[in-house]
Amino acid sequence: MGRVPVRLKEVTYALSPFEQKIMGGLWKDMGKEWVKKVKNNWLDAATCVGPIAGTYWYVQWYNEQEKQHHRC
């Protein structure tokens, strides 16, 4: 017996570019999500930002002391 070709029906779905929301999820609950992330990760952020900010302030203070020391 030979094979009989069967015609398959194809269903194609498309979404119009005008119906898409490119960055909808980013702005949806931005305030609530950011507050939640800050509350959960404040210790990690402080241990990362603290030494960097402290080093910056120390360098600024040291440069000012050097300027004052070399004043005539």
Side-chain angles (χ1 to χ4, degrees):
M1 300 208 132
R3 293 187 179 200
V4 179
V6 178
R7 184 172 174 89
L8 298 175
K9 294 183 180 181
E10 183 177 336
V11 178
T12 305
Y13 294 98
L15 185 61
S16 169
F18 298 108
E19 294 177 12
Q20 295 179 7
K21 295 184 179 179
I22 304 295
M23 299 178 71
L26 180 64
W27 310 114
K28 187 175 180 181
D29 293 325
M30 185 173 63
K32 294 176 186 175
E33 291 294 322
W34 284 25
V35 168
K36 183 179 176 182
K37 287 180 182 181
V38 168
K39 283 183 180 179
N40 291 338
N41 299 317
W42 70 269
L43 185 60
D44 295 333
T47 54
C48 178
V49 173
I52 294 171
T55 303
Y56 175 77
W57 286 325
Y58 173 74
V59 168
Q60 295 297 322
W61 174 81
Y62 186 79
N63 285 338
E64 187 63 30
Q65 294 299 318
E66 284 292 316
K67 286 180 195 177
Q68 295 295 328
H69 179 65
H70 293 296
R71 273 178 85 178
C72 294

